[in-house]
Amino acid sequence: MRNRTIIRIEDDQLTVLPQGLDRLWCCRKQVNVSLAKVTDVRTTHNPARIPIGRRGPGLDFMGKLCGTFHLNGEKHFWNYSGSGVALSIKLTPDQNFQRLVLSTDSPEDIKHNILTAMSSL
């Protein structure tokens, strides 16, 4: 799961940057979200076991989930590969995506950084 996604927090913005070929498979270079629109941040064990919905556009192949998935009227952005812990970020309904599910190098540390940044808003 290493180096799948870089997450930056600058001022009141959260930026998700897929890396390498994931940029192609995700069909986007980045996702930008205001920290004020983040409602929950969690780490999720084996998120590939939860319902993902209909893919489009993106990739769903052998445990690799990249791109946009539509579930119950919501749009979710995934950049997850394999098994293990992922970072799950829930957003307000007025955003382009309502959930981000991401493979990162250290999901617990990034979760802590996001929650700390949110508390200082």
Side-chain angles (χ1 to χ4, degrees):
M1 289 201 326
R2 298 208 173 271
N3 299 323
R4 295 282 176 215
T5 309
I6 292 175
I7 298 174
R8 292 189 184 143
I9 302 169
E10 296 174 352
D11 299 321
D12 66 344
Q13 282 290 116
L14 176 76
T15 303
V16 174
L17 301 157
Q19 298 298 293
L21 287 175
D22 288 356
R23 290 175 63 175
L24 173 69
W25 296 324
C26 286
C27 301
R28 62 183 55 238
K29 294 179 183 178
Q30 66 184 32
V31 174
N32 294 309
V33 178
S34 169
L35 281 173
K37 300 296 183 171
V38 175
T39 60
D40 190 31
V41 182
R42 300 172 184 235
T43 52
T44 305
H45 295 273
N46 295 316
R49 292 184 180 177
I50 63 175
I52 57 170
R54 179 180 52 83
R55 173 183 47 90
L59 173 78
D60 178 1
F61 182 72
M62 296 180 63
K64 180 141 187 78
L65 302 167
C66 293
T68 302
F69 292 82
H70 305 265
L71 179 66
N72 299 327
E74 292 184 347
K75 281 174 50 177
H76 298 180
F77 178 79
W78 285 70
N79 190 23
Y80 179 77
S81 183
S83 61
V85 179
L87 185 68
S88 178
I89 303 169
K90 188 173 180 185
L91 307 172
T92 59
D94 62 333
Q95 295 301 292
N96 186 36
F97 296 107
Q98 285 72 51
R99 182 173 306 274
L100 311 174
V101 182
L102 311 166
S103 291
T104 65
D105 280 340
S106 45
E108 286 291 340
D109 291 341
I110 295 171
K111 171 187 161 185
H112 175 74
N113 293 343
I114 294 170
L115 291 172
T116 300
M118 287 171 58
S119 67
S120 65
L121 290 179

